[in-house]
Amino acid sequence: MTDRAPWVIVIGAGPAGLLLGLMLGQKGVPVHIVEKGDRIDDRPRATHYSAPALRELHRAGVLEEARRRGFIIESISWRKLDLTYLGGFSQKVFPKDDKELMVCLPLDRLGQLLVEHLNYLSNVDIKYRHEVVDIGQDDCSAWVEVQTPTGKQKLRAKYVVGCDGASSKLRRCLFGDNFPGFTWEEQIVATNTYFDFDKYGLDDANFILHPQHWYMAARISKYGLWRITYGEEKGFSNEELIARQTMKFEKFLPGNPKPEEGKYKVESISPYRVHQRLAEHMRVGRVLLAADAAHLCNPFGGMGLTGGIADIGSLYDCLIGIYEQRADESILDRYDEVRRAMYNNVINPISSANMRRLFSLDPDTATDNDEFLMACKRAQADENFSREFQRGVNAIVHDFTQYYKSG
Ligand SMILES: Cc1cc2nc3c(=O)[nH]c(=O)nc-3n(C[C@H](O)[C@H](O)[C@H](O)COP(=O)(O)OP(=O)(O)OC[C@H]3O[C@@H](n4cnc5c(N)ncnc54)[C@H](O)[C@@H]3O)c2cc1C
């Protein structure tokens, strides 16, 4: 625990907030991370991280351990409901020691890893059960008002960063309910389920195209646990969605298993509404937004946290540049401009197409009509193209040190 006044207050001990705290803390910056919960969130959410996120985990010194606690996935495929292969790609086209191979590690375990590393830093303090209820700023500092078990407190720092997730209080303090974009009519249900997909020869991650029973099945542990996330029609309450799970599994899982047959075991289940939204700005004076607090996308293709971690890498370079007097504050305007452009030009269109592909294509003709599936076919025959295609996601990486003052 640090008794130094913080230079940055990070709101939210999700993966984005913890990573920013760790990266800044490793450079000696005094940081407070304030979290409303009494521990880190363990709902079934992000599991897979691609190249832009892995670069930042590497810079924070946690990549090797993340790979060890999780695993590197081998291949991804797109299939029909009867599991006929439509296309896919393999990470075997990269050398084994490539640092940007896609890694699977469920979010709560990534959070735990980050907390373990943060515990070594005496200049970073994680304050649980501190809920931000208001913010403010003046020319020299920004402050947050927090509700704690012992009453309200005001905490002040040079900068406040909102990593407080989709319903961000910081974003709402800045822009009210204005969060431009849309909410999908389709709902999704994410489960962690034990099921023997290996018997059916599936890849590590599989996207199943079907107008009603579209889903994704991805291996999330070495011991038979899979993330099965499927689409549902609009209009059902969360309770109804949970009650429909056995019917849905019987419709779409291979072998059409009935619950009483004991062929699967659901470990956790969470329905979600999904959104494509981007905040009006990611900087207002000394208050900054990053990751889900700033932008949302559907989870198909794993662009959510990967994009969020790319924000964190960018914001780290901007803030450390200011802290070490190598950059002036105008770099934060660049952060706002560039990261929002990355969302608009890359994350939003790609993630939207990823989800739409699952339910809007005719699976029987998709390989002839869908550019992405056609590219998968080409990647299978051409290793150079496969590498280029898989690393296209690096388009969301941007080097902010180029804006540092020369000399
Ligand atoms: C089903 C599903 C699967 C997904 N799969 C992937 C994937 O494979 N790959 C990927 O890249 N992304 C994926 N995502 C998206 C990913 O989970 C999110 O982008 C990620 O969790 C966002 O991290 P965050 O740190 O920004 O926010 P969060 O993880 O939401 O953390 C925010 C934190 O802020 C705290 N907080 C909130 N309000 C306050 C307040 N007022 N005061 C103090 N603390 C506060 C919360 O308690 C929480 O701990 C998936 C999402 C879903 C729903």
Side-chain angles (χ1 to χ4, degrees):
M1 186 184 278
T2 175
D3 50 10
R4 288 164 71 185
W7 191 76
V8 175
I9 298 172
V10 178
I11 316 303
L18 292 170
L19 184 63
L20 182 62
L22 179 62
M23 292 175 84
L24 290 172
Q26 286 167 339
K27 286 279 187 176
V29 179
V31 180
H32 282 183
I33 301 175
V34 296
E35 165 57 48
K36 72 175 177 185
D38 56 4
R39 61 194 165 92
I40 53 177
D41 192 346
D42 58 3
R43 282 176 302 155
R45 293 191 294 158
T47 47
H48 291 76
Y49 314 100
S50 50
L54 301 169
R55 284 174 179 221
E56 302 309 334
L57 296 182
H58 179 57
R59 286 212 290 169
V62 295
L63 178 61
E64 281 313 309
E65 189 59 16
R67 286 165 76 136
R68 208 178 59 73
R69 293 188 190 188
F71 59 94
I72 290 167
I73 76 156
E74 262 185 25
S75 54
I76 302 184
S77 62
W78 280 258
R79 295 168 182 268
K80 293 194 207 177
L81 192 60
D82 66 5
L83 303 185
T84 306
Y85 190 83
L86 296 174
F89 46 83
S90 161
Q91 294 209 99
K92 284 187 179 159
V93 295
F94 297 105
K96 274 200 174 130
D97 59 353
D98 188 306
K99 298 224 174 326
E100 297 187 359
L101 294 176
M102 190 183 287
V103 169
C104 174
L105 180 67
L107 190 72
D108 53 323
R109 292 173 58 204
L110 174 65
Q112 192 53 48
L113 170 61
L114 296 171
V115 169
E116 285 169 28
H117 281 252
L118 280 160
N119 286 342
Y120 287 107
L121 299 175
S122 59
N123 52 325
V124 182
D125 196 2
I126 308 179
K127 293 172 175 295
Y128 292 103
R129 299 203 287 166
H130 279 53
E131 178 173 2
V132 171
V133 291
D134 203 3
I135 58 162
Q137 59 180 310
D138 54 33
D139 287 347
C140 312
S141 64
W143 52 262
V144 290
E145 189 169 63
V146 285
Q147 184 69 56
T148 76
T150 53
K152 280 193 176 163
Q153 283 176 22
K154 210 173 200 180
L155 306 173
R156 201 175 271 277
K158 271 277 188 221
Y159 299 97
V160 169
V161 182
C163 293
D164 49 344
S167 319
S168 170
K169 179 70 185 172
L170 254 74
R171 189 188 65 240
R172 283 180 288 126
C173 286
L174 295 172
F175 307 114
D177 287 335
N178 189 25
F179 194 11
F182 71 93
T183 299
W184 293 82
E185 285 198 339
E186 293 76 12
Q187 311 198 59
I188 63 164
V189 179
T191 74
N192 286 353
T193 302
Y194 287 96
F195 182 68
D196 190 4
F197 276 113
D198 286 326
K199 190 165 129 189
Y200 300 93
L202 262 67
D203 292 270
D204 282 338
N206 309 269
F207 294 90
I208 312 298
L209 277 57
H210 190 271
Q212 286 93 42
H213 302 303
W214 47 282
Y215 71 99
M216 182 215 66
R219 186 192 308 279
I220 59 169
S221 90
K222 297 168 194 158
Y223 312 104
L225 187 63
W226 291 71
R227 167 66 52 78
I228 304 176
T229 303
Y230 55 93
E232 266 282 17
E233 292 156 37
K234 61 180 173 181
F236 292 113
S237 67
N238 282 358
E239 293 69 29
E240 288 167 328
L241 289 172
I242 290 170
R244 283 167 58 87
Q245 171 264 311
T246 50
M247 177 278 290
K248 286 291 286 183
F249 274 22
E250 192 177 335
K251 293 266 190 221
F252 68 68
L253 285 185
N256 308 100
K258 295 185 191 314
E260 60 274 17
E261 292 170 347
K263 290 193 173 150
Y264 64 81
K265 182 173 165 235
V266 176
E267 198 194 58
S268 59
I269 176 165
S270 288
Y272 290 96
R273 296 308 310 271
V274 277
H275 318 267
Q276 304 290 137
R277 294 183 186 276
L278 171 65
E280 256 178 73
H281 285 289
M282 290 170 67
R283 173 192 185 188
V284 176
R286 298 183 170 278
V287 178
L288 299 135
L289 296 176
D292 273 21
H295 45 73
L296 298 175
C297 68
N298 74 79
F300 296 96
M303 301 286 287
L305 185 53
T306 292
I309 290 181
D311 287 351
I312 295 304
S314 301
L315 191 51
Y316 161 75
D317 282 328
C318 294
L319 290 173
I320 209 67
I322 297 172
Y323 186 75
E324 294 177 348
Q325 299 179 2
R326 288 187 283 154
D328 61 50
E329 280 194 346
S330 66
I331 199 170
L332 296 174
D333 290 328
R334 293 276 187 168
Y335 167 78
D336 177 30
E337 189 188 307
V338 172
R339 292 309 332 161
R340 294 178 72 259
M342 294 298 180
Y343 178 86
N344 279 327
N345 301 335
V346 186
I347 295 173
N348 187 33
I350 291 183
S351 63
S352 297
N354 284 344
M355 178 151 149
R356 213 166 274 124
R357 182 171 301 111
L358 299 182
F359 56 80
S360 66
L361 293 181
D362 176 352
D364 291 327
T365 54
T367 47
D368 299 325
N369 300 328
D370 183 55
E371 274 183 27
F372 178 85
L373 290 176
M374 290 194 273
C376 285
K377 206 180 222 173
R378 188 175 154 203
Q380 276 168 260
D382 177 346
E383 288 201 356
N384 282 333
F385 176 73
S386 180
R387 282 189 281 272
E388 197 185 311
F389 179 52
Q390 293 187 55
R391 291 290 155 82
V393 65
N394 275 331
I396 66 170
V397 174
H398 187 85
D399 178 11
F400 282 81
T401 63
Q402 66 185 289
Y403 309 121
Y404 285 5
K405 297 176 224 170
S406 53

